[in-house]
Amino acid sequence: MITESQSQAVPGPSYRSAEEIGRTAAGPRPLPPLDGHTLHTMPTPVDTVLANGLRVIAVRRPSTPMVELRMALPFAGDTYAQVATAEVLATTLFRGTPGSGRRQLHTELACQGISLDASRSARWLNISGSAPGHALGTLLDALAGALTSSSHDEEDVARVRARMPRQISIIRSQPHVIAQEALFAHCYGEVAGLQEVPLAAEAERVTAERVRALHHAMVRPRGAVMVLVGELDPERAVADVAAITALWGDTGTTGSELELPALREGIVLVARPGAVQSQIKLTRHTVSRADDRFPAVSIAALAFGGYFSSRLVMNIRETKGLAYRTDSGFQDHLDQLALTVDADTATDATVQAFGEILAELHRLVNAPPSVAEIDSAREYTIGMAMLALTSQAGFAGSVLTAVILGHEPERVTRFPELLRDVTTNEVADAAGAFFRPETFSGVVVGDAERLESGLRELVGDRLVPRQVT
């Protein structure tokens, strides 16, 4: 509490404005230099493959008294029924084990500050968890119990099955999901393994017996990766994982490797009568992340449309206001890495926005990014990569992503150095090789009656009308 005598001892105003704080008697306060060159170092990990085939990577980073766990198990479905069953499996994985109820398990974990969650992507069963350092053993016990003997009982499966069709229908009604599904269908035909969102009709047919059978067949240690980061002794943590998962062995049969058919050419117009917005999605295959050219392709994609100062964003979003959102980046299509360009526009602006995208692709090929553009894109992506490594959770996630994409853990700190070595000529070569507009396939989802003639003027016979049922 400020007394009267204290308040009288401070002459003048009791606060200063931002402008006053930012100035001194000698003028404006100088800003500290940007520290854009301090890179993270990779702590020496304990990286081993256990006898059952599980790869465990443990890294000590005791910035907080917590441990972060990230895990991925190969989980690509080769039928639509399997995709739906896998979705239910992920949802019910931590609902309890035989002899323990769901509420009891969650209460015991929550009381110790432990969290565990599972989700499914097109290729992986993803598990994330966190715990105080002293409770790592309890976290691992709960995880091992779910992996080896999760109950997936009739009540839980029935509850999930009852609500999932409605959730799926809501998700599948979203324009970006419609566009993504249409893109996959056009580019590859019907490939169940690409499906991120299961079909509602398939979800309604999932039974607890099918979930348990899929668990037995596919929840296997061989090929799985576990990453532990935080306040831990790496050697001891790996030994604990080995002991706790000793009875978790390979079951079922190894699934077949899914391969994509050749990417189909052309631009498909997907009809949504009366739509007031359109989604534009273009894609083409590019080099793998292990290719020496990938850093240059990354910078070219970023300079083209991958962040707020990129050419495409400045053109169709900031300057001309033709798009609500636009982006350029990479997406994994099973075993293929795809370069993607997409934009969300109003119906009236769709044709013009599409034309500007094609024009910017031409311009990137004929007038590659300048030194200034390359430096800006490089510093941005290095900064974002380094920012992701500042927390235990971000570090664990980055290491797991690097490993499941075929790299070693050191990739998370080495990739920024690879970006620094990229030359202007390498970016120009990448732009010429991978950004020619005629090499992209894609879809435009919108009001076909209002868009078809304008789009045909832009791409001619490459436009293929298609009605979504």
Side-chain angles (χ1 to χ4, degrees), residues 137-167:
T138 305
L139 171 67
L140 294 176
D141 275 333
L143 174 62
L147 293 173
T148 58
S149 56
S150 186
S151 60
H152 304 295
D153 62 35
E154 296 285 352
E155 181 182 352
D156 277 334
V157 171
R159 186 181 296 109
V160 171
R161 184 178 59 228
R163 71 167 183 267
M164 189 171 285
R166 175 171 173 77
Q167 293 173 331

Side-chain angles (χ1 to χ4, degrees), residues 197-209:
V197 183
L199 299 174
E202 293 292 350
E204 290 174 342
R205 290 193 282 266
V206 174
T207 64
E209 182 180 357

Side-chain angles (χ1 to χ4, degrees), residues 108-346:
E108 290 176 355
L109 296 179
C111 287
Q112 298 187 58
I114 298 171
S115 67
L116 266 174
D117 189 34
S119 62
R120 185 199 67 87
S121 64
R123 296 182 64 191
W124 302 96
L125 175 63
N126 305 294
I127 296 173
S128 63
S130 65
H134 64 82
L136 175 58
T138 305
L139 171 67
L140 294 176
D141 275 333
L143 174 62
L147 293 173
T148 58
S149 56
S150 186
S151 60
H152 304 295
D153 62 35
E154 296 285 352
E155 181 182 352
D156 277 334
V157 171
R159 186 181 296 109
V160 171
R161 184 178 59 228
R163 71 167 183 267
M164 189 171 285
R166 175 171 173 77
Q167 293 173 331
I168 290 172
S169 66
I170 293 173
I171 294 171
R172 283 189 165 275
S173 68
Q174 299 301 309
H176 72 278
V177 176
I178 294 172
Q180 186 66 55
E181 293 279 330
L183 180 69
F184 285 154
H186 165 55
C187 290
Y188 307 112
E190 298 298 323
V191 180
L194 284 169
Q195 195 174 64
E196 295 281 353
V197 183
L199 299 174
E202 293 292 350
E204 290 174 342
R205 290 193 282 266
V206 174
T207 64
E209 182 180 357
R210 279 172 50 180
V211 175
R212 289 191 291 267
L214 185 66
H215 186 123
H216 179 77
M218 295 191 67
V219 180
R220 302 188 304 268
R222 194 160 304 279
V225 181
M226 178 190 295
V227 176
L228 295 166
V229 174
E231 188 181 49
L232 53 80
D233 179 327
E235 295 280 358
R236 180 176 177 181
V238 171
D240 288 345
V241 173
I244 290 172
T245 63
L247 298 180
W248 184 33
D250 273 354
T251 57
T253 58
T254 303
S256 58
E257 288 291 329
L258 299 178
E259 295 184 2
L260 288 176
L263 189 145
R264 296 171 179 168
E265 298 181 353
I267 307 298
V268 172
L269 176 57
V270 181
R272 294 191 73 206
V276 298
Q277 296 181 11
S278 304
Q279 287 68 47
I280 300 169
K281 282 187 173 291
L282 303 177
T283 192
R284 60 151 297 162
H285 292 164
T286 185
V287 296
S288 73
R289 290 180 175 86
D291 194 288
D292 291 341
R293 294 169 291 174
F294 179 69
V297 179
S298 296
I299 290 179
L302 204 67
F304 171 72
Y307 75 126
F308 49 82
S309 295
S310 60
R311 291 182 179 185
L312 190 63
V313 173
M314 292 301 296
N315 181 353
I316 71 172
R317 186 176 183 275
E318 299 301 323
T319 302
K320 296 176 181 174
L322 298 174
Y324 306 109
R325 183 194 64 84
T326 185
D327 192 20
S328 174
F330 300 95
Q331 187 177 36
D332 289 289
H333 295 175
L334 294 183
D335 59 333
Q336 292 282 348
L337 183 65
L339 174 64
T340 64
V341 180
D342 57 293
D344 298 335
T345 75

